[in-house]
Structures are given as C-alpha cells and as structure tokens.
Amino acid sequence: MESIQAIKQRFGILGNDQKLNRAVEKAMQVAPTDISVLVTGESGVGKESIPKIIHALSHRKHGKYIAVNCGAIPEGTIDSELFGHEKGAFTGATQTRSGYFEVADGGTIFLDEVGELPLTTQVRLLRVLENGEFIKVGSSKVQKTNVRIVAATNLNMVEAIKKEKFREDLYYRLSTVEIYLPPLRDRKDDIHLLFRKFASDFAMKYKMPTVRLEDDAVALLQKYRWNGNVRQLRNIAEQISVLEQERNIDAEKLKEYLPGYASNLPAVIEEKKKDSDFSNEREILYKVLFDMKNDLNDLKKLTMELMENDSHKNVREENESLIQKIYGNNDEEEVIPEEITDEQLEVLQIQQQNPTDKQDKYYFAEEIEEEETLSLQDKELELIKKSLERHNGKRKPAADELGISERTLYRKIKQYDL
Ligand SMILES: Nc1ncnc2c1ncn2[C@@H]1O[C@H](COP(=O)(O)OP(=O)(O)OP(=O)(O)O)[C@@H](O)[C@H]1O
Ligand SMILES: [Mg+2]
C-alpha cells in the first residue's frame, strides 16, 4: 500500500497537519470497500481530492468516476441528469437519455454540494443507496446500477435536517463514514508552507521572482481567520505575486490583502466609508451592466441560432422558448438565469470561446461586441470577487447582495475559477 505521503503527493495535497493526514488516511482505508462516504468541512478546505483518492484506490479504479456539482445543476433538470429520462418525458426530451447513475455503473459518483439536492431527488438517491435501484424520469421501469457514492458538503447538515431541507435517513445512509477536513486556521503550521508553494507556482506562471514573507507577515498569516481556507490563501498569494513590485512582503503590506484587517484602524474607517459610498454606486452600475450582458448574450445566442439553423425545427422551438423567456409571455414569468439549461449555457460558452469554428455572419456581430463583452466580464468578475470578499467567501449572502441566485453565483465561481 502506498504511504500517506505518496498519496498526498500524487493528489497534490500539501501540508503535514495531523488532522489532514488522518483524513487522507481514512480515505485510503475506506477506499477498497463500497461504503458511502461523506466529506465535510468548510468551503475551500480541499474536499475535492478525497473522492478522487477513494476512487483511485478502489477496485473500481478502471470504472468511471463522475463528479456532479449538485449545486450547479438547475432544479428542473437534476433528476434527468442523475437518473436519465425517457423520450417524451417532458418538452424537449426528444430522445431517451442515460443519467450519471447508469453511465457510472461499476464506478464512482462524487456528489459535490450534496446538501443542495432538492428533496424529490433525495428520495430517488436514497433508493439507489438502499438497493441500487432507480427509475428514469418518465419511465416506470426499474433499473439497477452498481455505483459507489462519495458525497461532499460545506453545509451544517444537522441544521439542514432541522430545517427539513435534508432528509435525515439519507444523511445517515450517505455518512456511513464521515471524513472531516479541518479549516486552515486549525492547521497553523501548514499555512506558510502552502503560501510558499503557491507563491512559487505563481512566480513561475507569471515569470516573476517569487514573493517572500517577512517574519511579521508570517505571524499575521497564521493569526488570520481564513474563512475561505486554502482557496482564499491561494487567491491572495496570486494577487500579491501579480501586483506587488517589492517582492519582500511585510505585515503592513499583507494586511492590505486580508479582508477585515485594514478596517481595524480607526483612521482608515473614515476613508473607507467615503470610498465605499462611492463603490456602492459603482457596484449598482456594474450590476446593471451585468444584467444587460446576460440579456445581450441571450439575444446573441438567439440570433446566431436563427441564422445558422434555419432548417432545424427543434432549435427553433428552443429559440421560441428563449424569446419567451427574454420578452416574457402571457404568463409573464420572470427571466431568471437558472431557466437557461446547462446545455444552453455550455453552447453559449463554447461559442464564445471558439469564434473561428463558426460562420462569419455570426462572428461579425460577435467581433464588434467582443471588447465590450470583455470589459463587462472584468466588471462582473470584480463585482463577484468583492461581494465574496465582503461576505468572507459565503455564497448565500453574496448572491443575495448581487441579486442573483446562489446557483448562478456558483456557476460563475467555477467559470472564473475563483
Ligand atoms: N492541502 C492542499 N494542498 C494544496 N492545495 C489545496 C489543498 N487544499 C485545498 N487546495 C486547493 O484549494 C482549492 C480549493 O479546494 P477544493 O476545491 O477541494 O475546496 P472544497 O473543500 O471542495 O470547497 P467548496 O466546499 O467550496 O467546494 C483548490 O484549488 C485545491 O487544489
Ligand atoms: Mg468543492
């Protein structure tokens, strides 16, 4: 059996904290069994590596490994994504489709953000866990699958159960073994080590000398709360690596990058206040731009598809429903981003990324708007970053502030790799 150190190296896990080692060791021990595992811990602690270790060290390692972000899939399509659907099960279901549980037969499914699953999906999941049975959406035929489930959450599941957002029976099924990853603030000895590694990676990436922390900055790093954990530490290492001319960073400099620190100084509060009044206005403006950009993208997609696929009836149907979403129909349903399916979103993103694949007529319009879209994207990114910073990386209040749903924010975080 490989040693813990070897496994950590193989999966890019840094640090020697005992609790971290215990988590990795637990993953190694449980891997050869088929036991369901629930990985818990705050956002950004490194939960995503655990299911990979479990799969790679299991007898299923040659089978499929499918990671599903339960929080990122719109509620209306999640059952069909996970369990598949029959032809005609709902409008747009033009063919029978296999879900992840069918595709991953003999392999492992990682259900990330499992706490976000709708209650109806939780019922279906419980059934798979209990006897390997599932039913496609719109079907009555019971199918069998043999899938190992590893789930992860950064929610307090006991709270979620109390609030009846998560089924207690499912929780116990999922968490036969729980692997807890401690927050970074409880792994003080690892913090500087992680910073040095990230700083050296970014120095290489941006072809600049590596930033170094003075002793007082190291002390500050270890005292800080790190609500966003390793993800936040990595972001800060990147910001400093890119923005600072002086490559020796002292505590004063570091404070500028740590949310919550600068405002401890009374003299700065006055300044900050004025500044934030201004930035509030600016942020409202960004939000308007952000909304406009979404509408623009919808329209662009629509125009492009109309031009390209004149003869494809089902695309036209899709377009019609998009038009209805954009301009409203008699039911006056509000346009909310979740209603655009992931597939549509993917199409949109692919089209934006590969302009040369497409016909000139579409990209004529795209080119004119490209610059505008780019700067809008910067603004959107900045707006999201600021909001997340303000709420210490907590998505719910950040999404509320931005006026978008948590799901949409989640997608944006993935999209911009925040
Ligand atoms: N011990 C570690 N060593 C190196 N990198 C790490 C470590 N822990 C986390 N990271 C990095 O930090 C980032 C966040 O980790 P990850 O995506 O696993 O977080 P998470 O626990 O799944 O958070 P969330 O609940 O928000 O999804 C990733 O880029 C990951 O590679
Ligand atoms: Mg994660």
Side-chain angles (χ1 to χ4, degrees), residues 83-331:
F83 305 103
H85 62 245
E86 282 297 334
K87 182 175 171 174
F90 46 84
T91 333
T94 48
Q95 309 173 8
T96 300
R97 179 185 179 282
S98 302
Y100 300 137
F101 275 92
E102 189 171 341
V103 177
D105 197 1
T108 308
I109 287 191
F110 170 40
L111 296 174
D112 201 1
E113 312 279 340
V114 74
E116 307 274 332
L117 278 183
L119 281 163
T120 47
T121 313
Q122 291 180 28
V123 179
R124 286 175 181 267
L125 182 58
L126 185 63
R127 184 163 181 186
V128 182
L129 275 159
E130 275 177 344
N131 48 26
E133 287 178 0
F134 69 96
I135 300 177
K136 280 198 173 85
V137 176
S139 168
S140 53
K141 200 178 95 204
V142 177
Q143 289 180 251
K144 278 269 189 189
T145 187
N146 173 6
V147 171
R148 162 72 163 297
I149 296 174
V150 182
T153 183
N154 55 29
L155 297 179
N156 179 339
M157 291 303 262
V158 177
E159 275 296 298
I161 292 167
K162 257 197 223 146
K163 288 186 188 153
E164 301 194 347
K165 287 192 168 157
F166 206 85
R167 291 181 64 107
E168 193 171 5
D169 46 6
L170 178 60
Y171 171 72
Y172 288 119
R173 265 283 169 187
L174 283 174
S175 60
T176 315
V177 167
E178 184 174 329
I179 297 183
Y180 171 71
L181 284 168
L184 192 57
R185 77 188 79 87
D186 292 347
R187 306 183 226 163
K188 293 216 183 307
D189 290 342
D190 284 352
I191 302 180
H192 191 206
L193 178 103
L194 280 158
F195 184 91
R196 283 200 305 262
K197 174 70 167 71
F198 294 144
S200 126
D201 288 352
F202 289 123
M204 207 127 73
K205 179 172 172 191
Y206 297 114
K207 302 193 172 54
M208 290 162 108
T210 311
V211 288
R212 242 198 84 252
L213 296 180
E214 307 278 357
D215 290 348
D216 59 348
V218 175
L220 179 62
L221 209 64
Q222 286 168 345
K223 213 172 72 185
Y224 189 63
R225 237 192 101 73
W226 298 113
N227 283 332
N229 293 293
V230 186
R231 183 182 288 120
Q232 187 188 10
L233 179 68
R234 193 165 170 267
N235 284 348
I236 282 172
E238 181 166 26
Q239 285 174 32
I240 296 178
S241 301
V242 174
L243 298 175
E244 288 305 320
Q245 293 272 319
E246 169 60 52
R247 307 308 273 177
N248 285 329
I249 308 296
D250 61 12
E252 278 313 301
K253 212 6 108 209
L254 179 61
K255 273 182 188 168
E256 291 174 20
Y257 290 87
L258 301 180
Y261 254 104
S263 56
N264 289 344
L265 302 162
V268 184
I269 289 176
E270 277 302 307
E271 288 257 351
K272 273 244 140 185
K273 231 179 129 198
K274 273 192 239 140
D275 193 51
S276 75
D277 281 346
F278 171 67
S279 74
N280 273 349
E281 259 173 49
R282 204 170 46 185
E283 284 175 14
I284 290 167
L285 203 72
Y286 286 166
K287 176 163 161 31
V288 173
L289 289 171
F290 176 34
D291 290 346
M292 269 170 63
K293 193 198 104 189
N294 280 344
D295 288 352
L296 240 164
N297 278 341
D298 286 345
L299 277 169
K300 228 157 52 182
K301 174 176 188 297
L302 186 70
T303 320
M304 186 266 312
E305 284 186 357
L306 281 171
M307 291 200 293
E308 283 195 341
N309 298 299
D310 235 4
S311 55
H312 293 140
K313 185 165 161 289
N314 57 351
V315 174
R316 267 220 301 277
E317 274 168 10
E318 244 181 69
N319 289 339
E320 268 156 25
S321 80
L322 254 175
I323 291 181
Q324 281 190 343
K325 276 175 197 155
I326 294 166
Y327 294 114
N329 53 18
N330 293 340
D331 303 323

